[in-house]
Amino acid sequence: MQNESRCRFCGEKLQFTFVDLGMSPLCESYRSTPQLNMMEPFYPLHVYVCANCFLVQLEEYVQPENIFTEYAYFSSYSSGWLKHSENYVDMAAKRFRLDASSFVVEVASNDGYLLQYFIERGIPSLGIEPARNIAEAAIQKGVPTRIEFFGEETARRLKAEGKSADLLLGNNVLAQVPDINDFLKGMKILLNPEGVITMEFPHLMRLMDENQFDTIYHEHFSYFSFIAVEKIFAAHGLTLFDVEELPTHGGSLRIFARHSENAARENGPRVNELRAREEAAGIRRLDSYGDFTEKVKETKRKLLDFLISARRRGKSVAGYGAPGKGNTLLNYCGIRMDFLDYTVDRNPYKQGKFLPGTHIPIFSPEKIRETRPDFLLILPWNFKEEIMDQTSYIREWGGQFIVPIPEVRVYA
Ligand SMILES: [Zn+2]
């Protein structure tokens, strides 16, 4: 079967599969009781790697408007993420000497979770956020916000108003941009000649090393290595002069970019070091991407083996959490209520609803004490220590934890 889709960066035909996770619903589309009797859209979750530029990517199956114009995720609900953002603002304000005469722009500024800290310091800031309900929350908080998608057109309009950014940032937005060249053109236009861009996104090398296939979902169009992102920025006249590796989202990169013409800012040693490490890991060789599929299939077999054997022995299994990544895992593995009785989540918005596709009911965490399951499958594995702490009481009745990623493991 020949695929006609083309690379969203370089236009090469996409022929090489990174991993095919089958058909899946949008991972944030939790179902209500009446919706259980309605049709539910499923889309292919098939990831390719471009043989020319090594950008790992999904084809564009869903119009982005359908995903982002009303979004249920408010960044300010996560205290860990707020702390991360405040630390970033500290670092950026010092390192780039930002003050009342500077101008900061954040793309996909969400509910103002980050810009609020610049504004507290008297540093003029502007957010750009397409999800209306979330942008309005930011505006109410006193964070100036434009309700639109970012790209060349938006950047030209801002530039025409005399705006240009000393610091242009975007966290967890690059992966979600359908037209990456339009987005980069916009950044090139809006950035001051001496300005700096910072972007954070999950690091492909960590996804591959740690088998994090469940972080693949329709909202994430692209999965970046440092080598691929450097090439994309360079094509738009932007040079990466520094990079940090962060523990967030299972392992992220924070890249620092400048205009290629701005030679005053020298490249730091971390750029060459990481590029060399990725070279050695085979990021520039197609065959290194081929092994991933087998790793993913083996995880599915192991998890199903475990669940089948537990169920045969009459054991009960419940889930903990209802994150997007859990939905990819459960849909790919075909785990429904035949294996998992229910899951729980602390977010009241999700309680009383059902997971997309698998229709597993979501309760509040009290349900665990009521039903005393033999096993608790932890879906947000990136918080496993915290969750095992909070629910350590399952040990009172001999309950055990299952963590599916990076490999299926049971914790007594
Ligand atoms: Zn390409």
Side-chain angles (χ1 to χ4, degrees):
M1 192 187 68
Q2 287 275 310
N3 181 26
E4 289 305 309
S5 288
R6 290 184 178 274
C7 172
R8 61 170 34 88
F9 166 59
C10 77
E12 179 88 359
K13 264 195 190 169
L14 294 175
Q15 305 285 13
F16 200 91
T17 294
F18 177 56
V19 66
D20 183 357
L21 299 173
M23 298 292 286
S24 223
L26 296 183
C27 74
E28 296 287 337
S29 54
Y30 298 92
R31 310 297 281 176
S32 62
T33 305
Q35 282 176 321
L36 294 182
N37 289 336
M38 293 176 193
M39 231 176 9
E40 184 177 7
F42 277 57
Y43 304 87
L45 204 47
H46 190 157
V47 189
Y48 293 88
V49 55
C50 174
N52 178 49
C53 71
F54 300 104
L55 178 61
V56 171
Q57 57 198 291
L58 276 179
E59 290 174 279
E60 195 183 330
Y61 299 103
V62 187
Q63 290 302 310
E65 281 79 2
N66 296 346
I67 304 179
F68 297 116
T69 45
E70 206 191 47
Y71 200 46
Y73 188 73
F74 285 76
S75 296
S76 295
Y77 284 171
S78 160
S79 52
W81 189 240
L82 283 179
K83 191 67 208 154
H84 175 78
S85 306
E86 195 176 3
N87 291 342
Y88 166 84
V89 170
D90 269 344
M91 179 281 296
K94 274 196 208 96
R95 182 167 174 185
F96 305 121
R97 299 197 184 86
L98 302 172
D99 58 28
S101 66
S102 311
F103 188 54
V104 176
V105 178
E106 184 183 14
V107 180
S109 49
N110 203 274
D111 59 1
Y113 72 102
L114 185 144
L115 289 181
Q116 60 182 344
Y117 300 117
F118 279 117
I119 287 171
E120 266 175 29
R121 291 157 184 263
I123 300 169
S125 305
L126 176 69
I128 299 171
E129 169 56 53
R132 176 166 293 276
N133 59 330
I134 292 178
E136 277 164 0
I139 293 165
Q140 274 178 5
K141 219 183 269 183
V143 177
T145 305
R146 300 273 180 105
I147 306 172
E148 53 190 313
F149 281 97
F150 181 78
E152 186 179 1
E153 198 189 311
T154 302
R156 285 202 189 287
R157 214 175 314 124
L158 289 167
K159 190 87 179 170
E161 292 170 27
K163 292 184 162 62
S164 106
D166 299 294
L167 175 64
L168 179 53
L169 71 122
N171 291 336
N172 301 308
V173 58
L174 208 54
Q176 305 184 1
V177 172
D179 185 348
I180 193 147
N181 289 316
D182 179 65
F183 188 84
L184 266 288
K185 275 182 202 160
M187 291 207 292
K188 179 76 183 169
I189 291 166
L190 192 58
L191 188 67
N192 241 351
E194 282 81 45
V196 170
I197 295 171
T198 76
M199 300 251 135
E200 291 177 26
F201 47 84
H203 189 190
L204 176 69
M205 202 163 67
R206 296 287 299 275
L207 186 157
M208 288 167 76
D209 285 351
E210 289 158 41
N211 191 29
Q212 301 169 357
F213 69 90
D214 59 344
T215 62
I216 294 168
Y217 28 84
H218 297 101
E219 289 81 346
H220 289 172
F221 300 122
S222 308
Y223 302 82
F224 299 98
S225 60
F226 181 75
I227 286 174
V229 84
E230 189 176 42
K231 193 166 181 175
I232 294 169
F233 274 63
H236 290 276
L238 296 164
T239 298
L240 304 189
F241 65 90
D242 197 5
V243 60
E244 288 177 52
E245 290 173 81
L246 309 171
T248 45
H249 299 286
S252 295
L253 292 184
R254 176 187 286 156
I255 53 167
F256 297 76
R258 57 167 169 85
H259 285 292
S260 300
E261 302 84 350
N262 172 19
R265 220 176 265 287
E266 277 181 31
N267 291 3
R270 290 188 287 205
V271 168
N272 292 333
E273 191 276 320
L274 181 56
R275 195 193 302 113
R277 198 146 33 95
E278 285 197 349
E279 295 270 9
I283 288 293
R284 254 196 257 265
R285 286 197 327 264
L286 263 188
D287 59 313
S288 346
Y289 296 87
D291 304 337
F292 190 66
T293 288
E294 194 44 44
K295 228 160 138 181
V296 171
K297 285 184 190 162
E298 183 55 21
T299 306
K300 174 174 181 168
R301 291 190 284 256
K302 277 199 179 132
L303 184 56
L304 288 175
D305 254 357
F306 179 87
L307 292 172
I308 289 168
S309 133
R311 288 308 216 173
R312 267 203 190 119
R313 287 180 287 131
K315 305 288 184 190
S316 56
V317 189
Y320 190 98
K325 56 166 71 75
N327 291 324
T328 294
L329 179 83
L330 299 174
N331 277 294
Y332 169 66
C333 294
I335 296 168
R336 298 186 177 75
M337 282 180 73
D338 42 5
F339 288 119
L340 205 61
D341 296 325
Y342 62 86
T343 192
V344 300
D345 201 280
R346 290 164 84 187
N347 181 347
Y349 170 86
K350 296 178 181 173
Q351 294 167 6
K353 293 204 168 76
F354 299 82
L355 296 181
T358 59
H359 295 182
I360 292 167
I362 310 167
F363 295 102
S364 86
E366 282 87 77
K367 186 82 175 174
I368 298 171
R369 270 187 200 284
E370 285 166 31
T371 60
R372 301 161 68 95
D374 297 306
F375 294 103
L376 198 58
L377 175 64
I378 299 181
L379 296 171
W381 44 260
N382 45 329
F383 299 115
K384 67 171 186 288
E385 279 87 14
E386 196 181 320
I387 291 166
M388 287 196 272
D389 257 13
Q390 282 165 11
T391 54
S392 60
Y393 55 80
I394 72 166
R395 297 194 173 102
E396 288 166 23
W397 59 82
Q400 297 184 319
F401 299 99
I402 317 163
V403 177
I405 306 284
E407 54 184 345
V408 181
R409 275 192 68 179
V410 177
Y411 293 81

